[in-house]
Amino acid sequence: MQLHFSPSMRSITISSSSNSNNNNGFIDLMKIKVAARHISYRTLFHTILILAFLLPFVFILTALVTLEGVNNCSSFDCLGRRLGPRLLGRADDSGRLVRDFYKILNEVKAGEIPPDLKLPDSFDQLVSDMKNNQYDAKTFAFMLRGMMEKHEREIRESKFAELMNKHFAASSIPKGIHCLSLRLTDEYSSNAHARKQLPPPELLPLLSDNSYHHFILSTDNILAASVVVASTVQSSLKPEKIVFHVITDKKTYAGMHSWFALNPVTPAVVEIKSIHQFDWLTRENVPVLEAVENQNGIRNYYHGNHIAGANLSDISPRKFASKLQARSPKYISLLNHLRIYLPELFPNLDKVVFLDDDVVIQRDLSPLWEIDLEGKVNGAVETCRGEDEWVMSKHFRNYFNFSHPLIARNLDPDECAWAYGMNIFDLHAWRRTNIREIYHSWLKENLKSNLTMWKLGTLPPALIAFKGLVHPIDPSWHMLGLGYQNNTNIESVKKAAVIHYNGQSKPWLQIGFEHLRPFWTKYVNYSNDFLRNCHILEA
């Protein structure tokens, strides 16, 4: 489009370019004579045509603005502010609507939900109620808040119920494992091969021979013990140098003996002993026995109602899970405290490796005997050096109640913790210390304080008793946490010498993590008749 002024500036012609055969290449659209006494008919015709085209749209927009009723515009100024952006194609009111909604939400957040407000059970019902009842924006916000709070409560209650069920599952004995113990016990009484001496008489001298690698395992779980022993022997470069000392309780002894008598792990040597066969383990030497047997408060704490007195509205699910873990009945078992008495139980041994029953050995452990502990007693992996807050970021503050004056005076909350479950113990150096006496004295103090100094089993008193006597070993020797969290790094699991299913999700339980269970099940002989008859089957 172009403007052309006449030489006399008396007229203006509005023209448009065209590809037609017009000689001048332009088509006149409108000619206006300036200061003329008349307007051309063409100008008048186009003006009327444009007005006839625009006026209906102006009328429709005005009607819509008036009928919306969001704001009551009573002036031309207000109408102009609303109509102008529409005429200019800028009718987006989203910014204003968002600000209005924020204002309503702040009002609803500070207010109380009306007691007579009926909350819908689903989003579809919410939409239906809004449509049928014509609720205003504030009522809608109250309904939204009420629905969210209701669902949050339900999710929270479900989480606590899940944690309780998981705790009961972790504390109970699976039917198959209980069956295995009963069948093997019956086999012990009826089958002479199940009662054969372990180890054979000619190998008895090896039980105190310090040129061999001595492993100690304390457990009442026959299936778990079989995996620990089998994985250790199969991973060893010199299995003929291995001697296993398996300690169990009186009720499990016959079944444990039957299993290893009928399923030998030659060339390794296995000894099975019950607690009652150690003459040294008397009430006079082990005060924890009398405390556990006689103090009802302890038994109620570990076997009582774990949810009684707990205000679930003031505790996070994670803290509740930690409290449940601390109340595992295994923590009052002498088998769990037994490791503190190793120098007395094995007076002829100088160095041993103690293993928990929830570990799997994936690499030859003989180099552990070559580690120079530099005069320390306990070779262990420190658990304060990693980013994983569940397992590898543990300091003394995680285990002790530093509001207790005795704890605050004697311990440093920032001191690094270390791992139980795979430890190399120098028993020769241990016998020159008073570790056992310190352990007992702190255990008595905690009992007198009604368990207010610490809650979690045997590790806290051991952290105190071994204070200053722990030699850190490379973390690759012992990887923890496979029973705590589902997101354990598989590649790290494959590289670790010992993997530890510490936590509730044991691999022999249904609550075990599926992707971590194969590292354990590969050492279970599912074709064994006893396992098949007890329906212990590979998942």
Side-chain angles (χ1 to χ4, degrees), residues 161-306:
E162 176 192 351
L163 292 172
M164 283 298 300
N165 292 333
K166 189 174 183 179
H167 173 70
F168 293 138
S171 303
S172 62
I173 301 174
K175 182 179 178 180
I177 292 179
H178 181 62
C179 166
L180 180 65
S181 180
L182 293 178
R183 286 183 175 271
L184 287 168
T185 300
D186 180 67
E187 192 73 12
Y188 184 84
S189 63
S190 60
N191 186 347
H193 291 290
R195 296 193 303 273
K196 71 179 181 181
Q197 185 175 346
L198 291 178
E202 65 273 14
L203 298 180
L204 286 176
L206 300 184
L207 298 181
S208 56
D209 189 337
N210 283 295
S211 66
Y212 282 74
H213 299 148
H214 293 267
F215 293 89
I216 297 175
L217 172 64
S218 176
T219 180
D220 60 354
N221 187 327
I222 298 173
L223 186 63
S226 72
V227 170
V228 175
V229 174
S231 64
T232 304
V233 173
Q234 293 180 35
S235 300
S236 175
L237 298 178
K238 295 181 178 180
E240 68 277 3
K241 298 289 289 183
I242 290 178
V243 177
F244 251 101
H245 306 267
V246 180
I247 306 173
T248 189
D249 56 18
K250 192 172 184 178
K251 65 181 176 60
T252 315
Y253 171 76
M256 189 76 75
H257 191 284
S258 294
W259 176 267
F260 286 102
L262 299 174
N263 301 279
V265 288
T266 52
V269 175
V270 177
E271 176 193 30
I272 309 296
K273 294 198 74 171
S274 171
I275 291 176
H276 73 279
Q277 294 175 329
F278 289 97
D279 296 333
W280 186 86
L281 287 176
T282 63
R283 284 183 174 83
E284 292 75 22
N285 292 328
V286 188
V288 69
L289 276 175
E290 185 175 1
V292 169
E293 290 179 358
N294 296 336
Q295 189 172 118
N296 290 329
I298 294 180
R299 299 196 66 82
N300 289 336
Y301 178 80
Y302 286 102
H303 291 284
N305 187 346
H306 293 174

Side-chain angles (χ1 to χ4, degrees), residues 95-108:
R96 178 180 57 80
L97 291 175
V98 169
R99 289 192 297 272
D100 291 344
F101 194 58
Y102 283 159
K103 182 179 179 181
I104 293 172
L105 289 178
N106 287 328
E107 293 176 1
V108 169

Side-chain angles (χ1 to χ4, degrees), residues 417-456:
W418 43 268
Y420 249 174
M422 196 288 292
N423 303 83
I424 176 76
F425 289 121
D426 186 339
L427 301 185
H428 183 70
W430 190 335
R431 295 185 184 100
R432 297 195 298 266
T433 70
N434 60 345
I435 289 174
R436 175 166 56 90
E437 290 73 18
I438 295 174
Y439 185 93
H440 283 168
S441 65
W442 279 91
L443 193 61
K444 290 178 182 178
E445 288 294 335
N446 194 36
L447 294 176
K448 286 194 298 184
S449 72
N450 196 27
L451 304 179
T452 58
M453 297 168 66
W454 68 78
K455 300 289 186 184
L456 190 60

Side-chain angles (χ1 to χ4, degrees), residues 52-222:
F53 179 77
L54 290 177
L55 284 176
F57 287 96
V58 174
F59 173 77
I60 293 172
L61 286 174
T62 305
L64 287 174
V65 170
T66 304
L67 292 175
E68 278 180 346
V70 179
N71 291 324
N72 295 323
C73 291
S74 59
S75 66
F76 285 106
D77 179 62
C78 176
L79 185 61
R81 288 198 307 272
R82 300 193 59 207
L83 188 58
R86 295 177 182 269
L87 292 173
L88 296 175
R90 298 193 299 270
D92 186 7
D93 288 336
S94 59
R96 178 180 57 80
L97 291 175
V98 169
R99 289 192 297 272
D100 291 344
F101 194 58
Y102 283 159
K103 182 179 179 181
I104 293 172
L105 289 178
N106 287 328
E107 293 176 1
V108 169
K109 180 181 178 182
E112 294 290 334
I113 298 178
D116 57 342
L117 187 63
K118 184 179 180 181
L119 298 177
D121 295 323
S122 65
F123 180 77
D124 289 339
Q125 186 179 342
L126 173 64
V127 174
S128 177
D129 289 350
M130 290 296 297
K131 180 179 179 181
N132 296 333
N133 300 316
Q134 297 294 311
Y135 290 131
D136 58 20
K138 191 169 184 179
T139 304
F140 167 75
F142 269 123
M143 294 180 71
L144 196 62
R145 173 188 163 188
M147 288 180 66
M148 293 184 67
E149 291 180 355
K150 176 185 176 183
H151 288 304
E152 286 175 357
R153 286 193 301 270
E154 291 174 349
I155 292 172
R156 185 178 178 85
E157 291 170 0
S158 298
K159 183 63 177 178
F160 283 121
E162 176 192 351
L163 292 172
M164 283 298 300
N165 292 333
K166 189 174 183 179
H167 173 70
F168 293 138
S171 303
S172 62
I173 301 174
K175 182 179 178 180
I177 292 179
H178 181 62
C179 166
L180 180 65
S181 180
L182 293 178
R183 286 183 175 271
L184 287 168
T185 300
D186 180 67
E187 192 73 12
Y188 184 84
S189 63
S190 60
N191 186 347
H193 291 290
R195 296 193 303 273
K196 71 179 181 181
Q197 185 175 346
L198 291 178
E202 65 273 14
L203 298 180
L204 286 176
L206 300 184
L207 298 181
S208 56
D209 189 337
N210 283 295
S211 66
Y212 282 74
H213 299 148
H214 293 267
F215 293 89
I216 297 175
L217 172 64
S218 176
T219 180
D220 60 354
N221 187 327
I222 298 173

